[in-house]
Amino acid sequence: MSWPRNTPEPEVTPEQRVEWQQRFGESDRALGFEISKDFKPFAQINDMFTRAFWDPAIKSADSDGFFASYRMGSEPRRGQGFSQKDFALRNASWVISDIISNRGNDTGMREGFQSWIAEDTPVAPTQVEVPDAAAQTAEIKRIAKMFGADLVGVTEVDERWHYSSRVDTRDLTQADNTLPAGITHVIVMAHAMDFDLVETYPSALAGASTGREYSHEAAIVIQVATYIRNLGYQAVASMNDTALVIPYAIKAGLGEYGRNQMVLTPEFGPRVRFSKIFTSLPLVNDQPKPLGMTTYCHSCTKCADACPPKALPKGPPEYGADSPSTIKGVKKWSANCEKCFGYWAKLKTDCAICMRVCPFNRTYDSWSDRVWRKLATGRGRKLAQWWENRNGSRERLKPADWWAKP
Ligand code: SF4
Ligand code: SF4
């Protein structure tokens, strides 16, 4: 079923609001989620990457060139990190993800981005018994890590964060986004991006850190979902599609929300991509605890200061709803996505300067990184900020220096 792209998101009924309050009120309070009566689930047709195909306010020669550059040998631009070789590496990093997402071109299901990943294996007719959901949870986390996930958490299905409709990419209409029946849990996985590549943002070279993880996660979600279906349980593999992954990653205890609009994880800071699996496998939800990173953001503006088009806010979280691409009724730091994407389009590659400069973007291999984290997330926050500022701004690694590494 599909409907026109300009159909507004459906209103939330008073009954739905009461039900959500009963089911999620307590966990929202624990997580610090503030949701107003204006809240509506988000329609994916309004996300910036989809608007770039139909909204005249966004679609331009620059945005068309941005997408085209991922599919062909891109014209080099002036500046280090934008040579044909840099674009070549970035495009190679994306190719596995592209192969998966292009499988559904004929059905309008751009898998992993505007549709969940189609099942490659049927659900086995007999179910493996799960006498102990806690043991099953530990086991599925081990399996996900064996396939390559860096962090794994489990949470309940929370349909507030599911897109009210997905996008039929054949004609850019809205299409039904209902998951199969019986899904109860979401397994959220984080995939760490390469530290040195991220240090070269902004550059086409740095885009290889993003593409590499999308290609990794495409393989990992398919493998984990196939394992679960072979056990006789439903499992739907998902990347950026189907639901907003940020609230799910926070609910699964993987991190906290940052001013740069990313989830800050204790292990990698914001340097991660997320994927998810919707499943009926009996599991036990993780119980997130305060991590102290959002608190740090309240007295830091490094990401906003470094953003070239000044797309990030410097003030406190707000119920921002000026842009169709911002979810309504959620109090949070929201970027001006039009300015952000406009900058990407001009660069012809993604920008993540706000990830690179974040003080939590560290490897945590050294004792000093770990001491800094301890201070930054606790009572030593001011000392951690002084320490960070004393070291000056985080300079970009020159792409030529990345290529010259042994
Ligand atoms: S990705 Fe780049 S343009 Fe967008 S908010 Fe971050 S720093 Fe700004
Ligand atoms: S740079 Fe500072 S304000 Fe921005 S996300 Fe990182 S810690 Fe938070």
Side-chain angles (χ1 to χ4, degrees), residues 66-321:
F66 168 83
F67 291 114
S69 79
Y70 281 80
R71 288 181 189 81
M72 63 179 89
S74 186
E75 287 283 307
R77 306 177 50 243
R78 276 185 33 215
Q80 246 193 57
F82 294 94
S83 70
Q84 183 168 354
K85 203 162 118 174
D86 296 301
F87 279 106
L89 189 69
R90 182 202 64 179
N91 292 1
S93 75
W94 274 93
V95 73
I96 304 300
S97 168
D98 289 344
I99 288 169
I100 301 298
S101 55
N102 291 338
R103 295 192 307 185
N105 281 349
D106 293 345
T107 52
M109 299 180 74
R110 191 160 172 269
E111 294 177 36
F113 292 91
Q114 277 132 334
S115 154
W116 59 71
I117 296 176
E119 292 190 5
D120 296 291
T121 319
V123 175
T126 52
Q127 282 188 336
V128 166
E129 272 187 45
V130 179
D132 180 344
Q136 180 60 74
T137 305
E139 187 177 275
I140 200 67
K141 288 183 179 180
R142 188 157 67 89
I143 300 291
K145 288 190 175 175
M146 183 275 290
F147 278 121
D150 291 298
L151 305 172
V152 191
V154 173
T155 187
E156 63 194 334
V157 164
D158 182 342
E159 59 275 14
R160 295 174 301 173
W161 310 117
H162 292 212
Y163 295 131
S164 57
S165 59
R166 66 168 185 87
V167 178
D168 184 326
T169 49
R170 288 169 300 189
D171 54 5
L172 298 171
T173 53
Q174 299 188 56
D176 186 43
N177 188 41
T178 311
L179 285 168
I183 303 269
T184 50
H185 291 88
V186 189
I187 302 166
V188 187
M189 291 176 279
H191 311 274
M193 296 161 71
D194 182 84
F195 182 82
D196 288 343
L197 280 172
V198 167
E199 289 295 276
T200 70
Y201 271 112
S203 65
L205 171 65
S209 66
T210 302
R212 191 188 76 162
E213 294 325 311
Y214 276 113
S215 286
H216 280 169
E217 69 181 78
I220 295 165
V221 286
I222 291 173
Q223 288 165 321
V224 177
T226 300
Y227 170 68
I228 297 172
R229 286 201 289 269
N230 273 264
L231 298 180
Y233 296 89
Q234 186 56 261
V236 178
S238 169
M239 292 164 52
N240 284 8
D241 54 276
T242 309
L244 298 166
V245 79
I246 285 179
Y248 266 138
I250 296 169
K251 284 188 73 143
L254 299 184
E256 287 183 336
Y257 191 66
R259 183 185 296 280
N260 58 2
Q261 291 211 120
M262 295 171 189
V263 176
L264 308 178
T265 63
E267 295 83 356
F268 309 103
R271 211 178 62 257
V272 285
R273 318 305 309 187
F274 290 101
S275 64
K276 52 203 182 297
I277 294 174
F278 300 94
T279 185
S280 62
L281 188 66
L283 295 171
V284 175
N285 295 330
D286 282 298
Q287 299 302 326
K289 52 181 189 315
L291 299 167
M293 291 184 286
T294 302
T295 307
Y296 188 99
C297 288
H298 280 279
S299 51
C300 171
T301 55
K302 279 187 183 285
C303 50
D305 295 337
C307 171
K310 302 295 168 222
L312 289 172
K314 294 194 182 185
E318 287 178 347
Y319 289 106

Side-chain angles (χ1 to χ4, degrees), residues 280-398:
S280 62
L281 188 66
L283 295 171
V284 175
N285 295 330
D286 282 298
Q287 299 302 326
K289 52 181 189 315
L291 299 167
M293 291 184 286
T294 302
T295 307
Y296 188 99
C297 288
H298 280 279
S299 51
C300 171
T301 55
K302 279 187 183 285
C303 50
D305 295 337
C307 171
K310 302 295 168 222
L312 289 172
K314 294 194 182 185
E318 287 178 347
Y319 289 106
D322 295 345
S323 165
S325 296
T326 302
I327 191 167
K328 300 195 177 39
V330 181
K331 193 171 184 183
K332 66 182 188 70
W333 287 297
S334 300
N336 180 321
C337 7
E338 288 81 3
K339 280 189 185 173
C340 174
F341 180 71
Y343 184 66
W344 290 30
K346 281 203 169 53
L347 284 183
K348 292 209 170 15
T349 194
D350 60 321
C351 162
I353 296 172
C354 50
M355 174 188 286
R356 168 170 66 78
V357 301
C358 177
F360 287 102
N361 171 30
R362 294 166 189 256
T363 61
Y364 299 103
D365 288 342
S366 65
W367 69 267
S368 57
D369 277 1
R370 295 192 290 273
V371 169
W372 181 86
R373 178 176 57 196
K374 183 92 181 148
L375 292 170
T377 55
R379 292 191 179 169
R381 196 173 63 250
K382 284 205 162 61
L383 179 58
Q385 275 171 336
W386 171 82
W387 184 353
E388 175 69 18
N389 292 337
R390 188 174 142 266
N391 290 338
S393 58
R394 289 163 167 247
E395 293 302 320
R396 174 195 192 222
L397 173 66
K398 288 188 183 139

Side-chain angles (χ1 to χ4, degrees), residues 3-12 38-47 162-165 174 323-328:
W3 50 95
R5 77 176 67 113
N6 56 3
T7 311
E9 288 108 340
E11 292 298 329
V12 176
D38 298 325
F39 173 81
K40 285 182 189 177
F42 187 73
Q44 199 183 10
I45 196 80
N46 288 325
D47 82 21
H162 292 212
Y163 295 131
S164 57
S165 59
Q174 299 188 56
S323 165
S325 296
T326 302
I327 191 167
K328 300 195 177 39

